[in-house]
Amino acid sequence: MALPLPSRDDLRALLEWQLAMGVDVALEEAPQDRFAADAARAQRAAQPAPQAAPQAPQRAPAVVSPAALLATPDESVSAAREAAASAATLDELRQILEGFEGCALKATASRTVFADGAPGARLMLVGEAPGREEDLSGLPFVGRSGQLLDRMLAAIGLDRGSVYIANVIPWRPPGNRTPTPQETETCLPFIRRQIELCDPEILVALGGAAAQSLFRARDGILKLRGKWLDYDVAGRPAKAMATLHPAYLLRSPAQKKLAWRDLKAIRRALEGAAPPG
């Protein structure tokens, strides 16, 4: 005699009982050894994870020639002066820098950060050295400091298309450390030649380090800033000034009032020194 089929209520009651007893896996037609499955999972977890294939470096590191490594500091500076003086145009100077091996910073940098803006602009701005963002992009002042610099220029009606921007040192120091005096002296002939070839009417050093290098000054930036100096550009005096670096202003926003005074002085100088018609 066939047994009667369970009702819907009977099936619901059976399911609720199973859930109450902790049943969380549906039964299958073929039996499975759950203990064996657990042992296999434990064995797989104990095995070391496969090693990921090493990623290829983005670029081959630059190699400094043995002659450059053995050169004395005076020889490195002399080589830089000779190389910089041989450049007749800004493009030639860029190419010379790309091939120069007398500064060890080039071996650790991703690329040479030469300049941005308009060659031959009336206003030239010079910082100290590139940071991480600049090293990656190949352009000066593109990080947070560069964004603030753009706003500073816009406040006096200028932009990157109307100025020329460079650094004393064209290669990023490792970890954004401060360049050594020797590194600065080796790179100085290049930025001086870059200034000569750009031939600006007004030269602005951004920050104390750039001002001390370009103007051979010893005072700190708070004493140097806002004062007009004469800077020799291939025998012609150009107006020069030091102002606060945008990175300093990001750390000390209260000092923006001083930078604003400098910016207004630069704007007045540009308006009073119209280019020859």
Side-chain angles (χ1 to χ4, degrees):
M1 179 178 178
L3 296 175
L5 294 175
S7 67
R8 184 184 297 271
D9 291 338
D10 292 336
L11 291 175
R12 182 182 296 109
L14 178 61
L15 180 59
E16 291 175 351
W17 177 84
Q18 290 176 337
L19 290 174
M21 294 298 100
V23 176
D24 57 1
V25 177
L27 299 178
E28 300 178 4
E29 293 293 336
Q32 295 189 24
D33 188 345
R34 303 292 180 184
F35 295 103
D38 291 342
R41 282 195 296 270
Q43 183 178 7
R44 288 195 299 269
Q47 294 177 351
Q51 295 292 329
Q55 295 183 350
Q58 294 183 352
R59 68 174 185 93
V63 178
V64 181
S65 69
L69 291 173
L70 295 175
T72 66
D74 288 343
E75 289 172 341
S76 296
V77 174
S78 178
R81 286 181 184 142
E82 183 178 351
S86 67
T89 66
L90 287 169
D91 286 339
E92 287 184 12
L93 184 63
R94 180 195 289 268
Q95 293 175 4
I96 289 170
L97 268 173
E98 294 285 1
F100 184 72
E101 297 181 343
C103 182
L105 289 178
K106 182 181 177 183
T108 58
S110 297
R111 53 183 55 82
T112 300
V113 180
F114 186 69
D116 194 14
R122 297 173 61 202
L123 173 62
M124 181 173 179
L125 307 164
V126 179
E128 181 185 23
R132 180 179 180 275
E133 291 83 359
E134 290 77 16
D135 180 65
L136 294 174
S137 68
L139 295 172
F141 286 92
V142 295
R144 290 185 62 216
S145 295
Q147 294 168 13
L148 178 55
L149 179 61
D150 289 344
R151 295 195 293 272
M152 293 166 65
L153 292 172
I156 56 173
L158 300 173
D159 57 28
R160 286 177 179 255
S162 56
V163 302
Y164 189 70
I165 308 173
N167 282 307
V168 172
I169 295 174
W171 301 291
R172 179 200 181 197
N176 287 358
R177 65 164 171 78
T178 301
T180 66
Q182 175 59 38
E183 291 163 349
T184 300
E185 287 299 313
T186 301
C187 294
L188 261 177
F190 294 108
I191 186 60
R192 292 193 185 281
R193 185 59 178 154
Q194 197 169 356
I195 293 170
E196 291 177 353
L197 294 172
C198 183
D199 194 24
E201 296 175 16
I202 299 174
L203 175 66
V204 175
L206 297 171
Q212 291 166 356
S213 298
L214 293 177
F215 307 150
R216 294 301 190 186
R218 295 185 178 181
D219 291 333
I221 187 59
L222 292 178
K223 287 187 177 180
L224 288 173
R225 57 144 296 274
K227 300 176 182 177
W228 286 113
L229 306 169
D230 285 335
Y231 184 90
D232 182 81
V233 180
R236 175 188 64 80
K239 289 185 175 182
M241 177 192 288
T243 191
L244 303 175
H245 195 286
Y248 174 79
L249 296 175
L250 289 173
R251 298 191 301 269
S252 306
Q255 302 289 22
K256 289 182 179 180
K257 61 181 181 296
L258 300 179
W260 176 234
R261 294 175 193 169
D262 299 342
L263 290 170
K264 289 191 294 185
I266 293 168
R267 179 73 263 177
R268 288 193 298 268
L270 287 169
E271 292 172 348

